Amino acid sequence: MDWDKLRVFHAVADAGSLTHAGDALHLSQSAVSRQIRALEESLDTTLFHRHARGLILTEQGELLFDATSAMRRRLDTAAARIRDSREEVFGELRVTTTTGFGTLWLVPRLQKLYDRYPDLRIDLMLEERVLDLPMREADLAIRMKEPSQADLVRKRLNTVWMRLYAMPSYLQERGTPEKVEDLIDHRLISQNVHSTQVSAGEMLTQSLTTLGSPTTLTVNNYFGVLQGVLHGLGIGVLPDYVIADFPSMVRVLPEVESASIPVYLAYPEELRNSKRIVAFRDFVLEELALSAKILEAVNK
């Protein structure tokens, strides 16, 4: 099979349109159409179903697209390793982590990383779905559990606990609960137990509501919970690392906390020597050490 035709096929399959693929490849629609037609003739099969809304892969087309996608990932990996053979840290690094950790901890610290490596570009994917690192959906992941995928370099970063926090102004107005049962007289802010989250946080919230604590605000991510706490709406169920950036918040009922949540950093074995990976990993470790010192001081 002709490599150029495969490149055009992959672009069309990815875009679902001859026009969009032509724009990406800087080719005319007619040129793209000729390449696809020639490829179908060489394979003696139909690769696309044509309809008014665009193109849909046939079963044979799906098989070929799987192959060209694997080829593309291997080429991307090779290109990344070639770039990383140089000493400088530059280029794109695709990082995935949870919405909570990404918005509350990681993003506020990235300026330091950019100051150190101005030619580095971060593509940050914040979602609860675990992306497939060996299939190169991302280069590096920070997750709230140990990755189960094979062929990954894993490093445990630290441990997180879900705890109860409130602003001093709220506690001055409503009083500070001294035992769990006192929460029934307070507004509880938490992540919705039906939204995707770490099981330890879900279990803590469920245990509090079972005791009769009224959950008066639920949000589908911890950033929303934090905003509720900062604006004095109530007592929030939040990861303990938020204290590093918001030391004015007060921990409520220190005996109440979730089970421990391990935090792991992982990346494919083939990227072990990547300069970008090493730079990002070391940066995260340094910042976590600083956060740990602040957290220790606040908890004294």
Side-chain angles (χ1 to χ4, degrees):
M1 284 182 282
D2 186 285
W3 286 99
D4 284 336
K5 291 182 177 62
L6 289 176
R7 180 174 67 95
V8 172
F9 162 79
H10 184 85
V12 173
D14 192 45
S17 161
L18 294 174
T19 302
H20 293 157
D23 291 342
L25 296 171
H26 305 292
L27 295 173
S28 67
Q29 180 179 338
S30 59
V32 172
S33 181
R34 285 195 301 271
Q35 292 278 54
I36 295 299
R37 188 164 56 251
L39 181 60
E40 289 180 323
E41 290 173 354
S42 69
L43 295 173
D44 192 24
T45 191
T46 300
L47 298 173
F48 295 97
H49 293 302
R50 277 82 169 170
H51 62 87
R53 292 176 296 173
L55 302 176
I56 298 178
L57 288 166
T58 63
E59 182 179 355
Q60 292 77 14
E62 291 279 5
L63 290 173
L64 187 58
F65 186 56
D66 287 344
T68 57
S69 296
M71 292 163 55
R72 178 67 178 269
R73 287 190 293 268
R74 294 294 297 272
L75 289 171
D76 287 345
T77 298
R81 295 178 71 174
I82 291 170
R83 289 195 301 269
D84 286 332
S85 65
R86 306 170 186 172
E87 288 301 318
E88 64 268 23
V89 175
F90 76 104
E92 182 180 73
L93 180 65
R94 296 172 298 160
V95 178
T96 179
T97 189
T98 62
T99 302
F101 188 81
T103 57
L104 301 183
W105 190 88
L106 181 57
V107 170
R109 289 166 171 76
L110 285 181
Q111 184 59 51
K112 296 181 183 178
L113 183 65
Y114 287 131
D115 289 343
R116 193 178 303 176
Y117 305 110
D119 295 324
L120 183 64
R121 301 193 308 275
I122 303 294
D123 180 8
L124 190 57
M125 293 167 276
L126 304 180
E127 52 184 296
E128 309 313 311
R129 180 173 69 93
V130 177
L131 299 186
D132 193 329
L133 296 184
M135 293 299 289
R136 298 305 305 277
E137 288 188 323
D139 299 318
L140 179 147
I142 299 176
R143 309 304 303 187
M144 304 298 135
K145 63 179 181 179
E146 183 172 6
S148 59
Q149 296 165 322
D151 301 323
L152 294 180
V153 178
R154 301 166 174 81
K155 182 172 182 58
R156 182 161 179 169
L157 297 176
N158 67 344
T159 302
V160 170
W161 283 268
M162 303 299 299
R163 291 168 173 165
L164 299 179
Y165 296 98
M167 293 300 288
S169 57
Y170 171 83
L171 297 176
Q172 289 171 6
E173 178 186 347
R174 301 290 295 268
T176 302
E178 297 183 359
K179 55 184 183 297
V180 175
E181 290 75 16
D182 294 341
L183 289 176
I184 197 169
D185 298 319
H186 290 267
R187 294 194 294 263
L188 187 66
I189 308 171
S190 68
Q191 186 160 332
N192 190 313
V193 294
H194 300 296
S195 61
T196 304
Q197 59 184 297
V198 292
S199 58
E202 179 183 348
M203 291 175 64
L204 176 60
T205 299
Q206 287 181 331
S207 68
L208 294 174
T209 55
T210 300
L211 290 171
S213 303
T215 301
T216 54
L217 175 63
T218 58
V219 191
N220 67 344
N221 61 66
Y222 291 123
F223 180 76
V225 176
L226 174 63
Q227 292 302 305
V229 172
L230 293 177
H231 288 82
L233 298 182
I235 298 172
V237 181
L238 285 166
D240 60 347
Y241 55 75
V242 299
I243 283 294
D245 293 327
F246 302 98
S248 61
M249 287 196 304
V250 177
R251 185 177 176 188
V252 176
L253 296 173
E255 72 277 10
V256 175
E257 64 183 14
S258 71
S260 61
I261 304 165
V263 182
Y264 281 87
L265 182 147
Y267 48 89
E269 175 68 37
E270 62 195 16
L271 294 179
R272 178 185 289 274
N273 297 318
S274 164
K275 301 291 191 300
R276 291 165 297 150
I277 293 284
V278 172
F280 186 87
R281 180 200 64 199
D282 291 348
F283 163 75
V284 169
L285 288 172
E286 291 171 12
E287 290 300 312
L288 282 174
L290 290 174
S291 293
K293 290 181 180 179
I294 296 172
L295 185 60
E296 182 180 356
V298 170
N299 289 331
K300 282 185 178 179

